[in-house]
Each structure stands twice: as C-alpha cells, then as structure tokens.
Amino acid sequence: MPNSITLTHLYSKDKAGPLVANPHFLSAPLFQDFLSLLDPLRDVLGPLMFQFEYLNRKKMPTRDAFLERMDAFFAGAPRGYRYAVETRNPNYLSAPHFDFL
C-alpha cells in the first residue's frame, strides 16, 4: 500500500518542526484510484499490505482512535481483495485489535 495512504503525517526534513497531518491518511478515494491501477493484476495479487508506522500519541491519540479510523476505512473497502495489516506499536496488539482484524 502506498505510504500516502498509511502515514498519518507528512514527512518533514525539519524533525523538530510541528507534525503536519497527511490529508490522504486512510483516504477511500485515493485507495480506489490505487486499486484501479492494480485491477488488471487482481487475479494474481497476494494480500494488499497496510504497513503503518509506529503510531505514538502525537500521531494517533489512542489505539481505539486508530481502530475507529480503520473500521470506517475498511467498511467501504471493496470485497474480493485480501488485506493484511502491520501495526508497529506493540501496545496496539490487544484483544480489541485482534477482534477488529
């Protein structure tokens, strides 16, 4: 999955500067555009990997907030694809997270 969909904030060369929210984080329209490019390969694709960065409290206030965003996103995601999720914050690996998956 393109990081334009999975990054909560934009990259910045100024590491000390403020975080700038990524307007395309879990964007359904951008995801649809991406899938339209993959459609010719649909029959041979493996899982589409959503690889999220380590989400600290500055980037995502809570695990539940993350799950709410994911739930809203995947509720509208097209069927017929396999999805995989990598979450790098070990604090997210809990019963609610696994129930969501």
Side-chain angles (χ1 to χ4, degrees):
M1 197 56 44
N3 63 8
S4 54
I5 293 174
T6 60
L7 291 176
T8 59
H9 293 80
L10 301 174
Y11 287 124
S12 173
K13 290 181 181 182
D14 180 9
K15 300 297 180 194
L19 291 174
V20 177
N22 174 8
H24 302 294
F25 176 64
L26 293 177
S27 164
L30 185 58
F31 184 53
Q32 291 294 339
D33 290 346
F34 178 69
L35 288 180
S36 70
L37 297 172
L38 292 180
D39 201 45
L41 301 170
R42 188 177 192 149
D43 294 337
V44 297
L45 285 176
L48 300 176
M49 172 65 87
F50 287 79
Q51 184 181 41
F52 293 96
E53 63 192 313
Y54 179 84
L55 297 174
N56 59 32
R57 291 196 185 273
K58 289 182 181 178
K59 294 182 177 183
M60 186 62 57
T62 65
R63 178 204 60 220
D64 291 341
F66 176 69
L67 292 177
E68 287 174 17
R69 291 287 301 266
M70 292 278 290
D71 188 41
F73 176 81
F74 280 113
R79 304 295 180 238
Y81 290 94
R82 291 179 292 157
Y83 302 110
V85 175
E86 178 187 350
T87 308
R88 294 184 179 180
N89 185 332
N91 297 316
Y92 283 20
L93 304 179
S94 60
H97 179 79
F98 292 115
D99 289 345
F100 169 79
L101 294 175

